[in-house]
Amino acid sequence: MTSRKSESGVDIETGESVFCASERLRSVVVVPGNVVVSDTETITEFRLVNDSSGNHVKATSRIAVYLTPNPNSREGILWQDVNGKAVAFFDYDIDFRRLEPNDSDGRTKS
């Protein structure tokens, strides 16, 4: 983990509680004769949905992928060409709902 930031507040328009988190990660995989380095950043915004249960959170997550600044590789040259900016983005919508105890399918037991 190379960086982590967060902030929270309330959306003025919807009144929903909002929490945002960002993490930067560098992973290094070493295998005989090869080293693979990757840099990613994950930014996620969580919103507590205003419903009667209080057990519903929606999130939007974006993963940004960066090239690494290795001057001895083709990727390092491309990193200079893009000035260290992200080269790929992956977006996800996530819906969290609290399950009742011993309830694996999310249905409320009667």
Side-chain angles (χ1 to χ4, degrees):
M1 191 74 53
T2 58
S3 172
R4 180 181 285 160
K5 297 178 185 177
S6 66
E7 62 183 53
S8 60
V10 176
D11 187 317
I12 296 171
E13 293 179 14
T14 64
E16 296 172 338
S17 296
V18 179
F19 173 78
C20 297
S22 169
E23 296 179 333
R24 282 195 72 137
L25 175 70
R26 172 168 281 177
S27 63
V28 179
V29 178
V30 179
V31 295
N34 196 15
V35 176
V36 178
V37 180
S38 62
D39 288 339
T40 59
E41 180 176 21
T42 303
I43 305 161
T44 307
E45 177 185 273
F46 300 89
R47 293 179 168 272
L48 180 61
V49 177
N50 288 328
D51 64 10
S52 60
S53 72
N55 293 326
H56 188 194
V57 173
K58 289 190 174 188
T60 302
S61 185
R62 170 169 277 186
I63 299 173
V65 179
Y66 298 86
L67 298 174
T68 55
N70 181 352
N72 299 321
S73 71
R74 174 79 177 129
E75 185 176 326
I77 295 167
L78 292 172
W79 178 83
Q80 292 176 346
D81 290 344
V82 298
N83 294 319
K85 296 178 183 169
V87 295
F89 292 99
F90 300 94
D91 293 331
Y92 301 93
D93 290 325
I94 308 165
D95 196 318
F96 298 100
R97 294 177 191 268
R98 185 183 308 268
L99 297 177
E100 295 296 320
N102 301 320
D103 187 7
S104 63
D105 62 4
R107 296 182 197 161
T108 304
K109 293 185 178 188
S110 37

